[in-house]
């Protein structure tokens, strides 16, 4: 499929999911809630002022952050207009929500101390473009906290990416690829970012921290 076809599938999928995304009837999307505690714990390690949530959906992570750190400034971006529409109903102060493409982040250079991306990255057909954009918008010493799906075995990843995901796409989902450590390291190297840590946590969970070095 083309990048546009993947993105159109994602928009169609999450337009349908927007109204139930944070409800008890969210189905498979409930698994995303397992990422939030680890992201919150990572954020506690360093002070920050401006945070960008890539693939923010209806804003569940931003809601938690806004309650815990109400004095910070938050921005959420998502490709699906319906997701942003639902997020805006929360009327969170100092939270900017926009419809946009995470592979082409529409923000000025050095805008954010932290970028987070939870269970969204596997929908991006041009992952290097995303990493390049993250590098541009992060401030020096800023970091990307990335949560997504993974499996350790390269053979299992190949089977997942070449057999299971095409079937998922036929079912109407815009999943592109799951990644291993070497994949993420290559994307970091290509963008000028430094991978500080990469772990597999729990069931098929990638937890990665990436840094923009101070020159």
């Amino acid at each position: 499929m083309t990048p546009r076809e993947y993105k159109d599938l994602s928009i169609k999928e999450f337009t349908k999911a927007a109204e139930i995304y944070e409800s008890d009837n969210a189905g498979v999307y409930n698994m995303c809630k397992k990422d939030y505690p680890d992201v919150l714990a990572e954020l506690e390690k360093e002070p920050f002022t401006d945070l960008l949530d890539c693939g923010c959906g209806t804003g569940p992570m931003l809601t938690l952050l806004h309650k815990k750190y109400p004095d910070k400034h938050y921005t959420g971006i998502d490709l699906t207009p319906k997701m942003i529409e639902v997020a805006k109903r929360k009327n969170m102060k100092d939270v900017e929500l926009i419809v946009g493409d995470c592979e082409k982040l529409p923000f000025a250079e050095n805008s954010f101390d932290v970028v987070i991306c939870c269970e969204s990255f596997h929908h991006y057909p041009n992952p290097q473009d995303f990493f390049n954009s993250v590098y541009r918008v992060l401030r020096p010493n800023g970091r990307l906290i990335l949560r997504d799906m993974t499996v350790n075995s390269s053979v299992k990843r190949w089977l997942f990416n070449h057999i299971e995901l095409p079937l998922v796409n036929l079912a109407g989902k815009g999943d592109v690829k799951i990644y291993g450590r070497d994949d993420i390291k290559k994307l970091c190297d290509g963008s000028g970012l430094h991978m500080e840590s990469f772990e597999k946590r729990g069931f098929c969970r990638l937890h990665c921290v990436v840094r923009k070095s101070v020159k």
Side-chain angles (χ1 to χ4, degrees), residues 110 130-138 191-193 212 215:
N110 306 320
F130 170 68
F131 270 72
N132 294 346
S133 274
V134 168
Y135 179 88
R136 185 178 59 80
V137 303
L138 274 178
S191 63
L193 293 165
K212 180 176 179 178
K215 292 184 179 181

Side-chain angles (χ1 to χ4, degrees), residues 27 31 62 68 73 80 88 115 133 152-153 178:
M31 67 185 294
L62 292 173
K68 185 169 185 176
H73 181 264
T80 304
K88 285 183 175 180
V115 175
S133 274
N152 285 337
S153 167
I178 66 167

Side-chain angles (χ1 to χ4, degrees), residues 4 46 56 60 73 88 93 106-107 122 127 184 187 190:
R4 185 67 260 168
E46 297 178 24
C56 67
H73 181 264
K88 285 183 175 180
K93 183 181 178 182
F107 309 108
H122 63 279
I184 301 299
L187 293 167

Side-chain angles (χ1 to χ4, degrees), residues 75-129:
T75 303
I77 180 170
D78 200 280
L79 189 65
T80 304
K82 186 65 176 180
M83 294 292 249
I84 294 296
E85 176 189 323
V86 174
K88 285 183 175 180
R89 294 176 195 166
K90 298 178 179 181
N91 294 316
M92 292 183 284
K93 183 181 178 182
D94 291 325
V95 177
E96 181 183 4
L97 297 161
I98 69 167
V99 177
D101 191 332
C102 292
E103 295 178 352
K104 299 177 181 179
L105 294 171
F107 309 108
E109 293 182 10
N110 306 320
S111 294
F112 301 100
D113 304 302
V114 187
V115 175
I116 63 174
C117 185
C118 300
E119 300 304 322
S120 177
F121 182 58
H122 63 279
H123 290 280
Y124 302 169
N126 303 296
Q128 190 65 65
D129 289 348

